[in-house]
Structure formats: C-alpha cells, structure tokens
Amino acid sequence: MAPLRQLIRLAFAASFLLALTVSADAPVWTPFVHLNNAGGLNDSYDPTAIADHEAADVQNFVFSTGGAIVKRSGFSRVNSSALSSTAVFTGGIFYRQADGDRFLVATVSDGATDRLYSMDYGAGTIGPDGTWDDISGSLSLAFGTDDLADFAIAQDQVVIEDGVNTTAPYVWTGSGNAAALGGSPDSARFVELHKNHLFKAGDSAEPSTLDFSGNGNIASWTSTDEINVETNDGQIIQALKSALDALYIWKQESIFRLSGTTRDDWVLEQMVDGVGTCSNNSVVLINNRFVFLTCTGDVAIYDGGVNVQIISAKIEGTLAALNQDRFDQAVAVAFDDGTGDQDYYLSLSASGASTHNRWLVFDTHHRAWTKFTGLTSNALFTYELGSLQRAIGSGDYAGRLNRYPNTDADAGAAIAAYYITKQFSYPDIPQDKSWMLLEVFVNQEGSYNLTAYTRADFESPGTSNSISLAGSGSLWDTAVWDVDAYGDTTTTIGRIEVNKRRRFFQIRFENNNASEPVTIKGFINWIFPEARI
C-alpha cells in the first residue's frame, strides 16, 4: 500500500478513537479527502461553483501527473554577464548542423546597436558555453523590442528574419558572420521551410502573399513564384507553420492550408473562417495539433482540418487582466518538463505593462491552467543541454538568456507561490458546520515551512498556520490538536486545529521564499455538523 494511503488510514483510525469518547447519539466528524488538486485555475466562475479539484487562484505552482500541486522550478542564467542592461532579446533558436555542431542564435535589440548573436557549445560541457559572439558583421540592423524574430533551419543554415516587414531575411552558416540571404528576395516577417522550399510572408508591400524559393535552393528566388492568400479581404498573413504534411497560413480571422510538393501542384484551401491569430510566435505544435493565441485573446487548439477548440474558457479572469494591445507580441513554446507530456508555455504582459511579465501554462495531461510570475520573457525557444535533455531559453529585457527549469530560485531570487482552493460548502451536510481539523500531506523537504491560511465564509486573509516541511521522522508525535507535523520518512502531515463555524471554507497555501521546494500531495478537511453540537 502506498505510504500516503497508509498515513491517511492511520489518521482515520486515530480520529475514530477520538470519536468513541463522544456520546453514542452525537454526530461524528466527516472527513472530506482531497488528493487530486490538479484541476487547474478556474477564475471564470465564482469560487463556490468551481470543481473541488480546481483552484480559485494559483501562481507559480504546477501539477504532478498524480495530481499533487508542486511549486515551480526556478531559472538560472545562461550568460552570467549581461550583454548590456538595456539589451532586449527579440528571438532565439537552437541550431544543430548535420555534422553535430550546435549553436544558439539570437536577435537582440539595444537602441542603435541591434545585433545578431551566436553561442557555441563547449566540448564536454552540459550545454551552451555562456558566451555570446556578435555575428552581425557588416549588416545594418534596425529592429525594435517588439519586432519579434522568426527563424528557419534550411540546407544546414539558419535563416533569420528580424520581424521588420521592410527587410529581407539573413542567413548564417555556423561560422563567420551572418549575411543577406542570396537571390535578392523581397522583404518579409516570417520564414518557414516546407517541402524543401523556403517560404516567406509579411512583406509590407504584399502582406497577403506567400513567396517561395527554388526547390532545394533557398538562395534562388523568382518573382512569379508566389501565392496570393485572399488578398484585400481585410486581413493579412500573421503566421506560417509547416506540419502534418502541409503548410498552414494564419490570418487574423482565418486559417489556410497549402498542400502539394512543388510550384506545379500547390493547392491552397481555406480551412477555418472566423478564428485566426495575430502572433506568429504564439503558434506551436503539440501532439500533432496546433495551439495558438487568437486575436481576441483566447487560446485555441486546431487539428489541422476544420476543427478549432477554445481551451481558455476557465481563465477568462486572468486573460481580462492582460494587456490586450500586446497580444500580437505573444511568444510561446511547447515543452516537456519530464512528465512525458508537452505543455504550452505562453508569455504575455499584464494590464498596463509594456513588457512581458506573465507566463500562462497549459498542462496537456490534466488539461489544466496555471500562471507564473517572476519571468520576463520577450523571447522563448527550446534548446538542448549537454545530452538530448531540453530546456526553455527565456530571453529577457536586461541582456540575459535564462534557462528554465533549473534550481529552486529565480537566479537566486524568491519564487512567490500560492494555491487557493475553491470555497468548499460540502452540501452533504446542509446545515451550518464546524471545520474542526485540517490535515495537509506534504513532501518532507527541509527546514522551512508552508503557510496555510484557513478561511471561513469569504474572510481574508484568514488564520495563518505554519506547517514544517522538515518532518519529525516518526509516525506520531505527542500533539493532537496543536499545529504539528509528523509522518513517515518521505511525507509530513501538518495537523491544524481550525475550529471555524460557518458554511463555506477555503485554504490558501503559500510559500514565498527562494530555494524552498514544496509538494502538496493532498489534504483532508474534517467537518462536524454545527447544529448538533
């Protein structure tokens, strides 16, 4: 039997022995067990109406496969010294060549010194070497912090589009400096390799036109090799992605599919009407389906055919508190944090903010949302460490690329994490009731604490209680009603005498410190019918 379930049974047995001391006709305590709390954020409904396993609010917690809530990991610096205090990353990509050489490539805006950078992988190290090399060469670069870059790997080279709709793409071969892409292509904002052709779109003069290179030659461009995507329909091309044996083209309120293999058999079809995107960098592929941010601020899943599903209905409160004017600057990645499922990480700006300071994370296993603070990411991409293990590269506004997840602190700083349950009413006990006892099952971690605020009938902040995460090493301690922590060698049981008499009960779990991991496996609320006390 699992150790946690053994502890729960022992807790039940102890409480049953206590109940024997009460008269035979007295009501008994009822345990309400909450071991799966991975329903995610639901701030679209009243906290009294959400599901028992959902959170009225949550920040900097994620969900384990088994349903525990876990304080998120922190991040570390990839380059310990900032490029400058005002350097802003506008894009990045992991670049592997056929011979196995690996690089990071990034675009960085810094006033009048906008640059292209690369970073080598040092021999025998676990990942990039931490030093950015300027590969701008003689290129004259002028892009802003909101001109988000796009990249493509083609013919063993990395193609770089700086996000400005009046500049043509650049190319870097892995040595020397970057240069203009050969063949004198028109300007663009987006580039994508598909069927051995390099596609581009976003030219300010032809915002609804796709251009494509020669077959197998990204430096060969012919003016007639172009495809018009419903020009003059009130929309322009906003994203290009190659997947599912086709090239997909997003406009603000429509999605198109280009099938075929060469200029002789391209077939363009409109697949979706009424839904599109304003952000190329929000579109990622997860489990052979596209996830993206719509222009109206919803997050959607698209199956590549005609079906689009909105998956953000439960976080309308969070979305309403974002800066909607910056939805076109949204950036996202798909990333597996070790659970075996790729999740969707989306970086956005809070209302009133002019830079990104929120991550919204969609857990595809639980189909649950959470949100992160403390990360300022204007660029997101995934990259390899020393092995096939991957990390998220987060380019910030202060000249640094950060690695997530790594350590239990944000470059040494604290992570402010909380999880707020629903307002539990327990309708099986219809009358006023007493919340007598809260038992919290947490991992033994170290000599630090988890704070649990117990609240009755919408009070705030509630009563503060501290639960030690160190554990005592023994199964039962001497205290019964006091705030105490005891358990087995891996699990601590925090027992809190609540004694609140109301109709609704809520818990806020909180830890705001650096380097203090927290895993809450579950909790039990012991309820007593108030009317018969």
Side-chain angles (χ1 to χ4, degrees):
M1 182 184 300
L4 178 57
R5 295 192 178 277
Q6 288 180 322
L7 290 170
I8 292 173
R9 287 197 173 187
L10 288 169
F12 283 176
S15 297
F16 175 74
L17 291 174
L18 288 173
L20 292 180
T21 65
V22 184
S23 62
D25 60 346
V28 296
W29 300 1
T30 301
F32 291 90
V33 181
H34 302 275
L35 295 182
N36 181 357
N37 297 287
L41 175 63
N42 187 343
D43 58 13
S44 294
Y45 309 131
D46 190 270
T48 62
I50 65 178
D52 286 359
H53 70 314
E54 293 177 338
D57 199 0
V58 58
Q59 174 179 291
N60 291 327
F61 271 105
V62 296
F63 314 110
S64 74
T65 302
I69 56 176
V70 183
K71 188 177 177 182
R72 73 160 172 86
S73 298
F75 65 81
S76 59
R77 307 295 193 193
V78 177
N79 53 304
S80 56
S81 298
L83 291 171
S84 84
S85 61
T86 56
V88 178
F89 281 81
T90 63
I93 190 172
F94 169 70
Y95 170 34
R96 181 203 294 273
Q97 294 186 317
D99 61 5
D101 289 343
R102 295 176 292 176
F103 309 90
L104 302 184
V105 178
T107 53
V108 177
S109 176
D110 195 5
T113 55
D114 302 333
R115 314 301 289 168
L116 306 181
Y117 288 96
S118 70
M119 184 180 289
D120 299 328
Y121 276 64
T125 66
I126 53 170
D129 65 11
T131 300
W132 288 109
D133 303 309
D134 189 340
I135 57 170
S136 305
S138 61
L139 293 174
S140 178
L141 303 171
F143 51 88
T145 59
D146 290 337
D147 295 317
L148 301 184
D150 196 24
F151 303 85
I153 307 298
Q155 296 176 227
D156 221 21
Q157 305 166 80
V158 58
V159 180
I160 306 161
E161 172 47 52
D162 61 14
V164 179
N165 61 9
T166 57
T167 61
Y170 317 111
V171 66
W172 187 57
T173 63
S175 62
N177 292 319
L181 179 62
S184 301
D186 293 334
S187 301
R189 287 178 60 207
F190 319 114
V191 288
E192 189 78 357
L193 182 69
H194 176 68
K195 297 293 185 182
N196 220 24
H197 298 75
L198 181 65
F199 280 80
K200 67 178 188 61
D203 184 350
S204 61
E206 297 179 303
S208 289
T209 299
L210 279 174
D211 297 304
F212 56 92
S213 73
N215 191 348
N217 188 351
I218 64 172
S220 173
W221 297 87
T222 302
S223 60
T224 55
D225 284 348
E226 62 180 29
I227 300 168
N228 293 322
V229 184
E230 295 293 330
T231 57
N232 302 319
D233 64 347
Q235 308 174 58
I236 63 175
I237 295 174
Q238 298 282 18
L240 297 179
K241 300 297 172 184
S242 175
L244 309 176
D245 203 38
L247 180 69
Y248 288 86
I249 306 105
W250 276 258
K251 300 178 95 173
Q252 287 97 328
E253 296 180 0
S254 54
I255 305 174
F256 293 80
R257 180 174 67 190
L258 183 73
S259 55
T261 57
T262 67
R263 63 163 62 91
D264 298 322
D265 61 1
W266 299 129
V267 176
L268 181 69
E269 305 169 277
Q270 181 171 343
M271 308 304 296
V272 174
D273 185 28
V275 178
T277 190
C278 292
S279 170
N280 176 70
N281 287 285
S282 79
V283 185
V284 300
L285 191 70
I286 299 178
N287 298 329
N288 284 327
R289 295 189 294 175
F290 296 103
V291 186
F292 63 96
L293 181 72
T294 72
C295 290
T296 56
D298 296 309
V299 182
I301 290 181
Y302 172 48
D303 68 356
V306 298
N307 299 304
V308 176
Q309 177 189 10
I310 301 299
I311 59 173
S312 55
K314 291 184 178 182
I315 57 168
E316 293 299 328
T318 294
L319 293 172
L322 297 173
N323 186 343
Q324 300 182 18
D325 292 336
R326 289 182 52 79
F327 282 167
D328 58 338
Q329 275 90 45
V331 293
V333 292
F335 180 67
D336 178 3
D337 62 0
T339 62
D341 296 287
Q342 285 196 319
D343 297 331
Y344 182 67
Y345 292 75
L346 177 67
S347 181
L348 293 162
S349 304
S351 179
S354 59
T355 56
H356 289 340
N357 55 5
R358 294 287 186 277
W359 281 17
L360 303 185
V361 182
F362 183 68
D363 183 320
T364 58
H365 176 74
H366 293 290
R367 296 186 65 83
W369 285 98
T370 185
K371 64 174 181 279
F372 292 175
T373 60
L375 301 109
T376 55
S377 306
N378 198 50
L380 287 179
F381 61 96
T382 61
Y383 69 95
E384 281 186 6
L385 300 176
S387 61
L388 296 180
Q389 181 185 0
R390 290 221 163 204
I392 294 177
S394 165
D396 67 16
Y397 297 86
R400 287 190 175 92
L401 181 70
N402 301 305
R403 168 187 165 185
Y404 176 88
N406 196 34
T407 77
D408 294 310
D410 285 345
I415 300 173
Y418 62 79
Y419 180 99
I420 304 176
T421 70
K422 72 170 291 183
Q423 292 279 355
F424 295 108
S425 63
Y426 301 123
D428 290 344
I429 304 177
Q431 67 268 45
D432 284 350
K433 59 212 75 174
S434 292
W435 182 11
M436 302 300 293
L437 179 67
L438 167 64
E439 293 181 299
V440 184
F441 301 89
V442 294
N443 273 6
Q444 290 189 14
E445 299 286 2
S447 299
Y448 30 84
N449 301 312
L450 170 70
T451 301
Y453 291 91
T454 51
R455 302 169 171 176
D457 281 2
F458 313 102
E459 67 177 326
S460 181
T463 303
S464 176
N465 307 271
S466 182
I467 299 170
S468 171
L469 301 182
S472 66
S474 60
L475 184 59
W476 298 109
D477 204 355
T478 56
V480 176
W481 295 112
D482 197 5
V483 177
D484 191 38
Y486 43 89
D488 63 8
T489 57
T490 61
T491 303
T492 290
I493 306 175
R495 291 170 59 93
I496 299 169
E497 182 182 3
V498 182
N499 280 333
K500 290 182 180 286
R501 294 168 171 80
R502 295 292 187 273
R503 286 187 177 271
F504 291 95
F505 307 115
Q506 187 179 55
I507 311 165
R508 176 187 172 108
F509 295 109
E510 181 178 288
N511 181 284
N512 295 327
N513 300 320
S515 302
E516 295 190 0
V518 176
T519 298
I520 304 171
K521 297 181 177 180
F523 58 93
I524 301 175
N525 285 330
W526 291 85
I527 306 299
F528 194 89
E530 170 70 14
R532 304 225 8 225
I533 290 180

